[in-house]
Amino acid sequence: MITPVILCGGSGTRLWPVSRKSYPKQFSRLVGNETLFQASAKRLSGAVDSLSFAAPMILTGSDFRFIVTEQLAEVGIDPGAILIEPESRNTAPAILAAAMHLIAADPEAIMLVAPSDHVVPDITAFHSAVSKGLAAITDGKLVTFGIKPTHAETAYGYLELAAQPNESGTAVNLKQFVEKPDEARAQDMFEAGTFMWNAGIFLFKAKDIIAAFEAHALDLTGPVMNAVTNAKTDLGFLRLDPDAWAQAEDISIDYAVMERAANLAVVPFDAGWSDLGGWDAIWREFGPDENGVVTSGDATPIECENSLLRSDSENLEVVGIGLKNIMVIAMNDAVLVADMSRAQDVKEAVAALKAKGAAQATAFPKDHRPWGWFESLIIGDRFQVKRIHVHPGGALSLQSHFHRSEHWIVVEGTARVTIDDDVKLVTENQSVYLPLGCVHRMENPGKVPMVLIEVQTGSYIGEDDIIRYEDIYSRGQGAKG
């Protein structure tokens, strides 16, 4: 039995504006009808192709915990442990925490560690590669998966094999890790045949990776063990102890262990893979037409070449005329226009927006909550208009505000509204007024989504103007709790 360990705490800034800190790329439907996270979880679920997977363990941040459970429920997957990282400390502490949690229940636990934002079209071939990796870990090896390069890529790290891959695709000893190369070095490695892209996917026994940390990154073991031992259960989540976690070094698994360990093996994989690390990767994944053009959403190209036109907002039409080697990604609050060759530099735009204090740098237009989501339609000095979507059975916390009053107009479904001691149903085309300071809540008692328009007025309309009295999701105080 293999326990998948899915890492989904990254921010994916190179896919801005669709991927942002508050709602990163793994939770978006960038390709296909499923999110990258959902596709990753399905790829690592059940008994398939002679492999048997346990319920997946998820490591994520507090703000994403309900998104994780909601998206897994949508694809019919019941997760195992969901470990909440108090703050991002990179992959080494996260993987070590997963291993320590697993080994407490099963000293022989096998873990398959995978990012949540990769695309692997041929699932059968991937399972075959995992099976070949299982043969190697019986000898105490730490197995990583290397992707056979399709071109000389400068955005990836590489794995140098000790020998040419054999036709059977079995594991080959690793000679060394290679940092992201320049163009000339990337071309040499591509032609050599003994270099693979580093996919960041690992397979090993929990006890072997813990031993590797003890040998090569001993300083991490104490803080991480304390964070796991003192973790607190919160609904269906396990919150790692924040004080202990803060003492763990912020470092990747490659730097902490893999580049120092001598017992590494690589399973070559040559059946399609992408980490969607930039808009150029999205362009390749979609498959350009005869003019090299890819469109997504409401986008219209006219005499364009080698370009990507994408609209990620309803009723927002993107039109390109005579574009060459250009990518245009439009949302209702931000538009990215860049040369295709600068795809890896999009993170610089995010840094520039952060420096000027623009909310678009990190905040997503839709703010996802455990009960649904909302988006701001208009914001003024003393007012704000929102669209609020509440899932069936969803309920906002019982709350009050110091600085604003609100009007709610139901436009779809039915809301159960609490205002102080009064509870009533508000149906489509009906409205209700919530005066300043009243204790209130809205719920969706129906079987279909409930949508309402909220008009806020007051001296301060920030999301942190909220006091929670009751909450079915056990959130604390603050904007999101």
Side-chain angles (χ1 to χ4, degrees), residues 21 68 83 87 132 212 220 415 428 447:
K21 183 179 180 180
V68 163
L83 274 57
E87 58 183 301
K132 291 165 185 172
L220 275 176
E428 289 183 11
K447 303 296 184 183

Side-chain angles (χ1 to χ4, degrees), residues 107-185:
E108 295 298 319
I110 297 171
M111 50 196 295
L112 176 61
V113 180
S116 58
D117 55 1
H118 290 186
V119 172
V120 183
D122 192 336
I123 297 176
T124 299
F126 178 73
H127 291 163
S128 176
V130 173
S131 295
K132 291 165 185 172
L134 285 174
I137 69 169
T138 58
D139 299 326
K141 292 280 190 181
L142 308 177
V143 171
T144 184
F145 294 82
I147 309 302
K148 183 178 179 180
T150 57
H151 57 280
E153 178 61 66
T154 60
Y156 298 148
Y158 284 71
L159 307 169
E160 183 179 5
L161 309 185
Q164 287 283 350
N166 53 55
E167 292 184 2
S168 64
T170 53
V172 180
N173 287 339
L174 175 69
K175 182 176 180 180
Q176 66 172 340
F177 284 79
V178 180
E179 296 292 334
K180 295 177 182 178
D182 59 24
E183 291 184 8
R185 176 65 170 147

Side-chain angles (χ1 to χ4, degrees), residues 370-372 389-397 414-416 441-450 471-473:
W371 43 261
H389 176 113
V390 184
H391 300 316
L396 280 69
S397 60
T414 298
R416 180 188 292 124
R441 170 165 40 206
M442 77 171 79
E443 306 167 71
N444 180 359
K447 303 296 184 183
V448 297
M450 183 267 289
D471 183 48
I472 64 173
Y473 309 106

Side-chain angles (χ1 to χ4, degrees), residues 17-18 310-313 316 318 328-336:
V18 173
R310 181 181 180 110
S311 172
D312 272 82
S313 292
L316 194 157
V318 173
V328 180
I329 296 88
M331 301 190 71
N332 60 5
D333 68 335
V335 179
L336 171 68

Side-chain angles (χ1 to χ4, degrees), residues 245-282:
W245 192 251
Q247 301 305 310
E249 183 181 1
D250 185 336
I251 188 171
S252 73
I253 186 71
D254 288 350
Y255 287 139
V257 172
M258 298 302 178
E259 293 186 2
R260 305 176 185 181
N263 60 330
L264 265 69
V266 181
V267 174
F269 185 70
D270 184 20
W273 168 90
S274 176
D275 72 342
L276 298 183
W279 287 112
D280 53 342
I282 298 285

Side-chain angles (χ1 to χ4, degrees), residues 5-8 57-59 83 85 89-103 111-115 142-143 200-210 212-213 220 224 228 240 245 251-258:
V5 176
I6 303 177
L7 309 177
C8 56
M57 175 186 291
I58 314 295
L59 283 99
L83 274 57
E85 301 175 75
R89 308 303 288 170
N90 217 314
T91 55
I95 292 171
L96 180 56
M100 289 176 168
H101 181 78
L102 282 172
I103 204 170
M111 50 196 295
L112 176 61
V113 180
L142 308 177
V143 171
I201 304 172
F202 305 99
L203 179 70
F204 33 63
K205 290 185 176 180
K207 65 180 182 182
D208 292 333
I209 191 61
I210 292 173
F213 273 97
L220 275 176
V224 174
V228 173
L240 299 172
W245 192 251
I251 188 171
S252 73
I253 186 71
D254 288 350
Y255 287 139
V257 172
M258 298 302 178

